[in-house]
Amino acid sequence: MPPFRRKKASKSFPVKVCTLDAELEFNLEWRATGRDLFDLVCRTIGLRETWFFGLQFEDTKHFISWLKLDKRVQDQCVSQMPGTPFMLLCKLYPEDVAEELIQEVTQHLLFLQVKQAILSMDIYCPPEASVLLASYAVQAKVFFYGDYDENAYKPGMLASEDLLPQRVIDQYQMTPEMWEDRIKIWYADHKGMSRDEAEMEYLKIAQDLDMYGVNYFAINNKKDTDLYLGVTALGLNIYEKDNKLTPKTTFPWSEIKHISFDDKKFVIKFVEKTVTNFIFFSPKGMNKLILDLCIGNHDLYMRRRKPDTMEVQQMKAQAKEEKQRRQVERNKLAREKQLREAAERERAAMEQRLLQYQEEIRLANDALRRSEETAELLAEKGRMAEEEASLLAQKASDAERDNARLRLTAIKTEEEKVHLERKTREAEFLTARLVEESEKRAAEAERLKAELVAARVAEKQAKEKLLNFLSRTSTGSLPPSSTVPSSLFPSTCSLPAELGGEALQNGNAVPSEPELNSYQLVPDDSDPHIHRLSLEIEKERVEYLAKSKHLQQQLDELRCEFSVLRVDRAAATLDRLHEQQARAGDDKYSTLRRLKQGSTNTRVAFYEEL
């Protein structure tokens, strides 16, 4: 029997992937493809809307590239350093975040990426919109800050947060406290909003910014004019070198049939055969990246205008059920919070009443004690009056006996008689005065007795009142000691294989040799609903803009308030361009609609004349 042989372990290498809020580390097999790594990352974080995202890295030539899913990771010029860093980023942006985003994790990742781009000034944001977005960013940290509470809020609470672009801060003579006060006003309006709701409101505002979802590439036309090519979810835009906000012309995906490049030269053919080809020149290292983004955005553009796949429908149904479940939980928590607050208020009121009762008992006890002291004092005075009256009565009796004895004594001489009479009169006068004084003392003793009786009656009434009050309080209900207990396509789709120089005809046929470095973008002519769906999407966008009129008014008010504190010399080029656009009444969508009104030939000719 041959000896047992242990299977040789396959080689592996470490990979690090960052998702803007987490770092993931994996050990990949040496033959692992980009699809293997991408699927592993998506499974780890629970991401199913994979068509928006890609893995970005910096190759050995220091170019920013996207990992190709159909090739081995080690074959894509990835740095051989241990722990090769990749960034999971949104590669293709949705047209309408409210309609397209299904999963909360997708929304959160896009929110973090857009927020970082705005703060790093890669996406231009006006000052007034920056303050509004900052307030939603604070509300999105609801588990950290909680809802705005005027009593719990402390000045400087937001000082540690990076909430505004530095360009906005430098333009105004405002202290950090002044910025915080303005953010706090908007933050207070978002009370009760959950994290996913705050992030969605942030993205709804951000998607209307001119530079949102635009990938810029430096290009030249036949006149060697320096221009920018903007690859977006709706088509290709051409910008002047010093103006990335307002495109000079645009070419929607619905008009483009075929894209190809040869070295630095790009050629775009249109659906209308009579239209002149659109040609531009790009740096050699950027041509494959431009073609890759054009293919991805065009595919996503076409699939948005088709019915959802079964997988997407199931994802939407699950997301709807999950949203309803969370809403029920939030409503339940809100009701419990209201009940708890009501119980706290009732408890505070009962405690206040209890304090009042205790104060009343204390006052009643003080009054009773004073009554007892007064009664004791009156009783002592009564005893003293009785003793004095008894003493006076004894003196009067002694005087009467002396007077009687004097009357019976014989007076031998007249002088003694006169003297005796005088003594008698004096004794009678003294006796009368003593009797009168005795009567007064007796009357005073009677009065003190009456007061003593009244005091004892008052004491008895006070005791009865206290006993009644205590019995009534003991039978009353007191507060308890404890509070109330407290649109799209399947994720398995792969990018076209044309990135390495192959071609597609009508999006399906196998490319032939003469069509290297090209991509066929002709739409499916058999589907008559594509144009109608495009019009419906545009109509819904116009309706959404009409609904945001109130928000625009608030932003205008904030803009007027900021204009007083602005430092004119600090205004950047993009700010001046944005102000000109605002004075003309233009926005991102009105500009694109105006540019698409002309014929394709006219737009191509205009581009060549730049």
Side-chain angles (χ1 to χ4, degrees), residues 121-124 209-214 216 244-245 574:
M121 295 177 286
D122 292 332
I123 295 178
Y124 171 77
L209 300 177
D210 295 282
M211 296 177 66
Y212 166 85
V214 182
Y216 294 92
K244 286 186 176 182
L245 289 184
L574 292 178

Side-chain angles (χ1 to χ4, degrees), residues 378-389:
L378 291 176
E380 184 65 24
K381 288 183 177 181
R383 288 194 298 270
M384 292 176 63
E386 289 178 353
E387 291 176 358
E388 290 179 358

Side-chain angles (χ1 to χ4, degrees), residues 7-72:
K7 185 178 181 181
K8 186 177 180 180
S10 60
K11 295 182 179 180
S12 63
F13 62 98
V15 176
K16 180 187 291 184
V17 179
C18 300
T19 65
L20 293 180
D21 63 347
E23 289 187 0
L24 308 174
E25 294 184 358
F26 306 99
N27 282 324
L28 288 183
E29 293 184 359
W30 196 258
R31 295 181 177 276
T33 63
R35 170 67 64 186
D36 296 331
L37 177 58
F38 184 69
D39 290 344
L40 180 60
V41 174
C42 293
R43 286 196 304 270
T44 302
I45 64 175
L47 178 64
R48 297 181 63 187
E49 295 176 271
T50 57
W51 43 86
F52 293 117
F53 295 89
L55 293 175
Q56 190 183 91
F57 66 97
E58 183 177 346
D59 60 19
T60 54
K61 298 180 181 179
H62 303 290
F63 284 113
I64 298 299
S65 303
W66 294 94
L67 187 67
K68 298 178 178 61
L69 304 184
D70 56 343
K71 293 186 178 181
R72 291 191 344 177

Side-chain angles (χ1 to χ4, degrees), residues 392-457:
L392 290 175
Q394 184 65 30
K395 288 182 179 180
S397 177
D398 292 344
E400 287 179 355
R401 285 195 299 270
D402 290 343
N403 190 21
R405 191 169 53 253
L406 289 174
R407 287 194 187 97
L408 297 175
T409 302
I411 301 174
K412 296 180 178 180
T413 61
E414 190 65 25
E415 294 177 357
E416 290 177 350
K417 184 179 180 180
V418 172
H419 180 69
L420 182 59
E421 289 177 356
R422 182 166 51 83
K423 288 287 186 180
T424 302
R425 286 194 300 271
E426 290 177 357
E428 290 177 352
F429 176 75
L430 178 60
T431 300
R433 191 177 65 181
L434 290 174
V435 171
E436 183 180 355
E437 186 69 20
S438 176
E439 291 176 353
K440 289 181 179 180
R441 293 296 182 180
E444 185 177 356
E446 292 296 331
R447 180 178 62 81
L448 291 175
K449 287 182 179 180
E451 291 181 358
L452 177 60
V453 173
R456 290 177 176 173
V457 171

